[in-house]
Amino acid sequence: MNLVLFGPPGAGKGTQSEFLQAKFGLVKLATGDMLRAAVSSGSPLGRQVQDIMAKGHLVSDIIMINLLQQRIRLPDARRGFILDGFPRTLAQAEALDRMLEDEAMRLDAVIELKVDDAKLIERIAGRFSCAKCGAGYHDSFRQPKMAGICDVCGSKEFIRREDDKAETVAQRLQAYHKKTAPSLPYYKRRGVLVSVDGMADIDEVAHQIEEVLRANKKIAKKG
Ligand code: AMP
């Protein structure tokens, strides 16, 4: 099954795609993670996108489409994938369709996590992650089980994203509303869009997504 998790920054795409990855063996393809890895390694791509990301702007379609194309061609994507953070423009959505067609793959569902802006700002302000394995946490909603120790890998080092600062978040939300949300009608017309209430707590959202996937499988079987 190939999925897109669609929604504004802070909607829970990263958290939910981690669950889907663990539960269904799907491969998480998070373009933001790919770019952050490029920035940390100091690669030419990293140097090219660093400032754009720090300002909360979108990286150009041409860079992003190339990046995803290379990743989707790797054999593990055949197991089924969850896209987190791509597409972010209509041009990327259209390019994704072409890419999948070339690889004889298809998109099964686009799951939109609907969350209002005030909630997003609250969520982003408190989030942090393990510096070693990337597991995500939150000051109010998802603390490590043992204070200061990562549940997954035991590391004691945590980081906060540079672009989670309030002024950058405002820019990222603006980019979502102006450039990303306009792809929703494209997916609606194709009949693959399902909207989930992303305001609910993490487990409830995960449950709703699972229901969507089950329904999707039923449809696939009948068809
Ligand atoms: P994310 O981790 O998905 O919130 O992405 C972090 C940042 O990476 C975004 O604010 C953008 O600057 C950049 N980025 C990630 N994915 C894309 C994309 N598909 N198109 C354009 N920029 C992207």
Side-chain angles (χ1 to χ4, degrees), residues 205-219:
V205 176
H207 176 72
Q208 287 184 44
I209 294 176
E210 268 185 53
E211 293 290 301
V212 167
L213 298 186
R214 255 187 223 119
N216 207 301
K217 265 192 193 154
K218 268 186 218 147
I219 290 163

Side-chain angles (χ1 to χ4, degrees), residues 50-83:
Q50 191 163 20
D51 282 355
I52 301 169
M53 291 175 77
K55 287 183 186 140
H57 293 148
L58 294 186
V59 173
S60 74
D61 286 335
I62 188 145
I63 292 180
M64 296 313 301
I65 291 165
N66 279 332
L67 185 69
L68 190 74
Q69 189 150 32
Q70 285 167 29
R71 183 60 188 87
I72 230 161
R73 283 183 181 151
L74 297 184
D76 64 344
R78 298 258 154 211
R79 293 209 311 258
F81 60 75
I82 317 141
L83 279 174

Side-chain angles (χ1 to χ4, degrees), residues 31-32 35-36 53 57 59 64 85-86 88 92 161 172:
T31 46
L35 294 174
R36 279 184 289 278
M53 291 175 77
H57 293 148
V59 173
M64 296 313 301
F86 190 102
R88 261 180 159 98
Q92 292 181 16
R161 274 171 55 170
R172 288 164 62 205

Side-chain angles (χ1 to χ4, degrees), residues 144-162:
K145 290 191 186 88
M146 298 248 292
I149 300 176
C150 175
D151 297 346
V152 179
C153 75
S155 163
K156 291 180 180 166
E157 255 189 78
F158 296 90
I159 45 171
R160 288 180 193 259
R161 274 171 55 170
E162 176 79 30

